[in-house]
Amino acid sequence: MHKRPLKPPLRLQPTTLWEYPSQHYGRGVQGNPRYVGATPSYIIWNLLERYTKIGDLIVDPFCGSGTTLDVATDTGRRARGFDVSPQRPDIEFADARKLPLESNSVDLVFMDPPYGDHIHYSDAKNCIGKLSAYDPAYYRAMHQAIRESVRVLKPGGYFGLYVCDYFEKRRGLAPVGFQLFVSMAESMAIVDIVSVVRHNKSLEMGNYRKAAEEGNFFLRGFNYLFLAQKPEARNHGHGRHLNRVP
């Protein structure tokens, strides 16, 4: 008698609504499951399978616990991960705003950045996670990180940004996703916008749901996955790059 698989098999997501009931795929884990704010590894797997080939170079400027590195290894890609607070030896110390990489050298950049100061990511003074989603300094810092990713990408290379909006009852909604989307659109062609269902345990807790109902606000039920491509060459006002913000 065959044992049931621990998790559903991986497959390319065919729509712009992605859902997978586990943080990890297969019988193992990718990255550290105890790391706060870890990226679901199936998201990275889908991007690498769709937009890269074996041997391509993948870069994660906010590498966290190393999920991107593990998925790249699983799929035969090369990878470099950077963080201001490296969690393991194969993650290199660097600020996402200044990567030690040559221009036009990377096939795909994936980032899952901080989107508020509600989580303690590190004690590093230059940690973007120390900046509030209500502070313009956060968006300036992220704009610099996105532009640095554009610099290192090869023409035609792909960029993926996984992020969520932020909400505090006292201060209201901080539409993080759309503000970072504008930074992307300034220098890249938008490929698509995906909604990824969140499986945060707090979303199922009765006290959280009760507070949302009584306070007339919403719990964050999805993350954005914004997909873009670095232009092959500058386009002078027509064609596929009309979606760039002037």
Short mmCIF file of all heavy atoms in Angstrom, two decimals, residues 212-242:
data_model
loop_
_atom_site.label_atom_id
_atom_site.label_comp_id
_atom_site.label_asym_id
_atom_site.label_seq_id
_atom_site.Cartn_x
_atom_site.Cartn_y
_atom_site.Cartn_z
N ALA A 212 -11.65 41.71 13.12
CA ALA A 212 -11.84 42.28 11.79
C ALA A 212 -13.31 42.58 11.52
O ALA A 212 -13.64 43.61 10.93
CB ALA A 212 -11.27 41.34 10.73
N GLU A 213 -14.17 41.68 11.95
CA GLU A 213 -15.60 41.88 11.74
C GLU A 213 -16.12 43.04 12.58
O GLU A 213 -16.85 43.91 12.09
CB GLU A 213 -16.35 40.60 12.08
CG GLU A 213 -16.09 39.47 11.09
CD GLU A 213 -16.64 38.14 11.58
OE1 GLU A 213 -17.22 38.11 12.69
OE2 GLU A 213 -16.49 37.14 10.87
N GLU A 214 -15.75 43.07 13.85
CA GLU A 214 -16.25 44.12 14.75
C GLU A 214 -15.63 45.48 14.43
O GLU A 214 -16.27 46.51 14.60
CB GLU A 214 -15.99 43.73 16.20
CG GLU A 214 -16.80 42.51 16.64
CD GLU A 214 -16.52 42.13 18.09
OE1 GLU A 214 -15.58 42.70 18.69
OE2 GLU A 214 -17.24 41.25 18.62
N GLY A 215 -14.37 45.46 13.97
CA GLY A 215 -13.69 46.72 13.67
C GLY A 215 -13.89 47.19 12.24
O GLY A 215 -13.39 48.25 11.86
N ASN A 216 -14.60 46.39 11.45
CA ASN A 216 -14.90 46.73 10.06
C ASN A 216 -13.63 46.97 9.23
O ASN A 216 -13.49 47.97 8.54
CB ASN A 216 -15.82 47.95 9.98
CG ASN A 216 -16.46 48.08 8.60
OD1 ASN A 216 -16.64 47.09 7.90
ND2 ASN A 216 -16.78 49.31 8.20
N PHE A 217 -12.67 46.02 9.33
CA PHE A 217 -11.49 46.07 8.48
C PHE A 217 -11.22 44.66 7.97
O PHE A 217 -11.85 43.69 8.39
CB PHE A 217 -10.27 46.63 9.23
CG PHE A 217 -9.83 45.82 10.42
CD1 PHE A 217 -8.95 44.75 10.29
CD2 PHE A 217 -10.29 46.14 11.70
CE1 PHE A 217 -8.55 44.00 11.39
CE2 PHE A 217 -9.89 45.40 12.81
CZ PHE A 217 -9.02 44.34 12.65
N PHE A 218 -10.28 44.53 7.04
CA PHE A 218 -9.99 43.26 6.41
C PHE A 218 -8.62 42.72 6.85
O PHE A 218 -7.66 43.48 6.99
CB PHE A 218 -9.97 43.39 4.88
CG PHE A 218 -11.29 43.80 4.28
CD1 PHE A 218 -11.51 45.11 3.89
CD2 PHE A 218 -12.31 42.87 4.12
CE1 PHE A 218 -12.72 45.49 3.33
CE2 PHE A 218 -13.52 43.24 3.56
CZ PHE A 218 -13.73 44.55 3.17
N LEU A 219 -8.54 41.41 7.03
CA LEU A 219 -7.27 40.74 7.21
C LEU A 219 -6.65 40.55 5.82
O LEU A 219 -7.34 40.39 4.83
CB LEU A 219 -7.46 39.39 7.89
CG LEU A 219 -8.14 39.44 9.27
CD1 LEU A 219 -8.38 38.02 9.79
CD2 LEU A 219 -7.32 40.24 10.27
N ARG A 220 -5.32 40.55 5.77
CA ARG A 220 -4.64 40.42 4.48
C ARG A 220 -4.74 38.99 3.98
O ARG A 220 -4.11 38.09 4.51
CB ARG A 220 -3.16 40.80 4.60
CG ARG A 220 -2.85 42.21 5.12
CD ARG A 220 -3.33 43.27 4.16
NE ARG A 220 -4.61 43.84 4.58
CZ ARG A 220 -5.40 44.53 3.83
NH1 ARG A 220 -5.09 44.74 2.56
NH2 ARG A 220 -6.53 45.01 4.28
N GLY A 221 -5.51 38.75 2.94
CA GLY A 221 -5.76 37.39 2.45
C GLY A 221 -4.90 36.95 1.29
O GLY A 221 -4.95 35.79 0.88
N PHE A 222 -4.10 37.89 0.73
CA PHE A 222 -3.26 37.51 -0.41
C PHE A 222 -2.04 38.40 -0.48
O PHE A 222 -2.00 39.49 0.11
CB PHE A 222 -4.05 37.63 -1.73
CG PHE A 222 -4.30 39.06 -2.16
CD1 PHE A 222 -3.45 39.70 -3.04
CD2 PHE A 222 -5.40 39.76 -1.68
CE1 PHE A 222 -3.68 41.02 -3.43
CE2 PHE A 222 -5.65 41.07 -2.06
CZ PHE A 222 -4.79 41.70 -2.94
N ASN A 223 -1.03 37.92 -1.17
CA ASN A 223 0.15 38.70 -1.51
C ASN A 223 0.15 38.98 -3.01
O ASN A 223 -0.37 38.19 -3.79
CB ASN A 223 1.44 37.95 -1.16
CG ASN A 223 1.84 38.12 0.29
OD1 ASN A 223 0.99 38.17 1.17
ND2 ASN A 223 3.13 38.17 0.55
N TYR A 224 0.76 40.08 -3.39
CA TYR A 224 1.00 40.34 -4.79
C TYR A 224 2.26 39.60 -5.23
O TYR A 224 3.24 39.51 -4.48
CB TYR A 224 1.26 41.82 -5.07
CG TYR A 224 0.17 42.76 -4.63
CD1 TYR A 224 0.27 43.46 -3.43
CD2 TYR A 224 -0.95 42.99 -5.43
CE1 TYR A 224 -0.71 44.36 -3.04
CE2 TYR A 224 -1.93 43.88 -5.05
CZ TYR A 224 -1.81 44.56 -3.84
OH TYR A 224 -2.78 45.45 -3.45
N LEU A 225 2.26 39.12 -6.45
CA LEU A 225 3.48 38.69 -7.12
C LEU A 225 3.53 39.47 -8.43
O LEU A 225 2.81 39.17 -9.37
CB LEU A 225 3.47 37.19 -7.38
CG LEU A 225 4.68 36.64 -8.14
CD1 LEU A 225 5.99 36.91 -7.38
CD2 LEU A 225 4.53 35.15 -8.41
N PHE A 226 4.34 40.52 -8.44
CA PHE A 226 4.49 41.36 -9.62
C PHE A 226 5.62 40.81 -10.49
O PHE A 226 6.72 40.55 -9.99
CB PHE A 226 4.81 42.81 -9.23
CG PHE A 226 3.71 43.50 -8.47
CD1 PHE A 226 3.98 44.17 -7.29
CD2 PHE A 226 2.41 43.49 -8.94
CE1 PHE A 226 2.98 44.83 -6.59
CE2 PHE A 226 1.39 44.15 -8.25
CZ PHE A 226 1.68 44.82 -7.07
N LEU A 227 5.37 40.65 -11.77
CA LEU A 227 6.35 40.10 -12.69
C LEU A 227 6.69 41.13 -13.76
O LEU A 227 5.80 41.76 -14.34
CB LEU A 227 5.80 38.84 -13.36
CG LEU A 227 5.32 37.75 -12.39
CD1 LEU A 227 4.66 36.61 -13.16
CD2 LEU A 227 6.47 37.24 -11.54
N ALA A 228 7.98 41.31 -14.01
CA ALA A 228 8.43 42.31 -14.98
C ALA A 228 9.64 41.79 -15.74
O ALA A 228 10.25 40.78 -15.36
CB ALA A 228 8.75 43.63 -14.28
N GLN A 229 9.98 42.50 -16.80
CA GLN A 229 11.12 42.12 -17.63
C GLN A 229 11.91 43.35 -17.99
O GLN A 229 11.35 44.39 -18.36
CB GLN A 229 10.64 41.42 -18.90
CG GLN A 229 11.75 40.85 -19.77
CD GLN A 229 11.21 40.10 -20.97
OE1 GLN A 229 10.13 40.41 -21.47
NE2 GLN A 229 11.95 39.11 -21.46
N LYS A 230 13.23 43.25 -17.88
CA LYS A 230 14.09 44.36 -18.29
C LYS A 230 14.05 44.47 -19.81
O LYS A 230 14.24 43.47 -20.51
CB LYS A 230 15.52 44.12 -17.82
CG LYS A 230 16.48 45.25 -18.18
CD LYS A 230 17.84 45.02 -17.55
CE LYS A 230 18.83 46.11 -17.93
NZ LYS A 230 20.14 45.93 -17.25
N PRO A 231 13.80 45.64 -20.36
CA PRO A 231 13.72 45.78 -21.81
C PRO A 231 15.01 45.36 -22.50
O PRO A 231 16.10 45.55 -21.98
CB PRO A 231 13.46 47.27 -22.01
CG PRO A 231 12.86 47.73 -20.72
CD PRO A 231 13.51 46.90 -19.66
N GLU A 232 14.86 44.77 -23.68
CA GLU A 232 16.02 44.40 -24.49
C GLU A 232 16.78 45.65 -24.92
O GLU A 232 17.99 45.68 -25.00
CB GLU A 232 15.57 43.62 -25.72
CG GLU A 232 14.99 42.25 -25.40
CD GLU A 232 16.06 41.21 -25.14
OE1 GLU A 232 17.25 41.55 -25.20
OE2 GLU A 232 15.69 40.06 -24.86
N ALA A 233 16.02 46.71 -25.23
CA ALA A 233 16.61 47.98 -25.64
C ALA A 233 15.60 49.07 -25.35
O ALA A 233 14.40 48.80 -25.20
CB ALA A 233 16.98 47.97 -27.11
N ARG A 234 16.05 50.29 -25.27
CA ARG A 234 15.14 51.40 -25.03
C ARG A 234 14.13 51.51 -26.15
O ARG A 234 14.47 51.43 -27.33
CB ARG A 234 15.91 52.71 -24.89
CG ARG A 234 16.65 52.83 -23.58
CD ARG A 234 15.67 53.01 -22.44
NE ARG A 234 16.35 53.08 -21.15
CZ ARG A 234 15.72 53.17 -20.00
NH1 ARG A 234 14.40 53.19 -19.97
NH2 ARG A 234 16.39 53.24 -18.87
N ASN A 235 12.86 51.71 -25.75
CA ASN A 235 11.80 51.86 -26.73
C ASN A 235 11.36 53.31 -26.72
O ASN A 235 11.09 53.88 -25.66
CB ASN A 235 10.63 50.94 -26.35
CG ASN A 235 9.56 50.90 -27.42
OD1 ASN A 235 8.92 51.90 -27.69
ND2 ASN A 235 9.36 49.72 -27.98
N HIS A 236 11.31 53.93 -27.87
CA HIS A 236 11.05 55.37 -27.94
C HIS A 236 9.57 55.68 -28.10
O HIS A 236 9.11 56.15 -29.14
CB HIS A 236 11.87 55.99 -29.07
CG HIS A 236 13.34 55.81 -28.90
ND1 HIS A 236 14.07 56.46 -27.94
CD2 HIS A 236 14.22 55.01 -29.56
CE1 HIS A 236 15.34 56.11 -28.01
NE2 HIS A 236 15.46 55.22 -28.99
N GLY A 237 8.78 55.35 -27.06
CA GLY A 237 7.42 55.84 -27.01
C GLY A 237 6.36 54.99 -27.66
O GLY A 237 5.24 55.42 -27.80
N HIS A 238 6.68 53.77 -28.10
CA HIS A 238 5.64 52.94 -28.67
C HIS A 238 5.99 51.47 -28.45
O HIS A 238 7.10 51.14 -28.07
CB HIS A 238 5.45 53.21 -30.16
CG HIS A 238 6.72 53.07 -30.96
ND1 HIS A 238 7.18 51.85 -31.42
CD2 HIS A 238 7.63 54.00 -31.36
CE1 HIS A 238 8.31 52.03 -32.09
NE2 HIS A 238 8.61 53.32 -32.05
N GLY A 239 5.02 50.60 -28.67
CA GLY A 239 5.29 49.17 -28.51
C GLY A 239 4.97 48.68 -27.13
O GLY A 239 4.18 49.27 -26.39
N ARG A 240 5.64 47.60 -26.71
CA ARG A 240 5.24 46.88 -25.51
C ARG A 240 5.55 47.62 -24.23
O ARG A 240 5.11 47.24 -23.16
CB ARG A 240 5.91 45.51 -25.47
CG ARG A 240 7.41 45.57 -25.33
CD ARG A 240 7.97 44.18 -25.14
NE ARG A 240 7.43 43.56 -23.96
CZ ARG A 240 7.74 42.32 -23.58
NH1 ARG A 240 8.51 41.58 -24.33
NH2 ARG A 240 7.25 41.82 -22.48
N HIS A 241 6.36 48.69 -24.27
CA HIS A 241 6.77 49.37 -23.05
C HIS A 241 5.93 50.59 -22.74
O HIS A 241 6.33 51.46 -21.98
CB HIS A 241 8.26 49.74 -23.12
CG HIS A 241 9.13 48.57 -23.40
ND1 HIS A 241 9.09 47.43 -22.65
CD2 HIS A 241 10.04 48.34 -24.38
CE1 HIS A 241 9.96 46.56 -23.15
NE2 HIS A 241 10.54 47.08 -24.19
N LEU A 242 4.75 50.68 -23.31
CA LEU A 242 3.87 51.81 -23.04
C LEU A 242 3.42 51.84 -21.60
O LEU A 242 2.95 52.86 -21.11
CB LEU A 242 2.64 51.74 -23.96
CG LEU A 242 2.88 52.21 -25.41
CD1 LEU A 242 1.61 51.95 -26.21
CD2 LEU A 242 3.22 53.69 -25.45
#
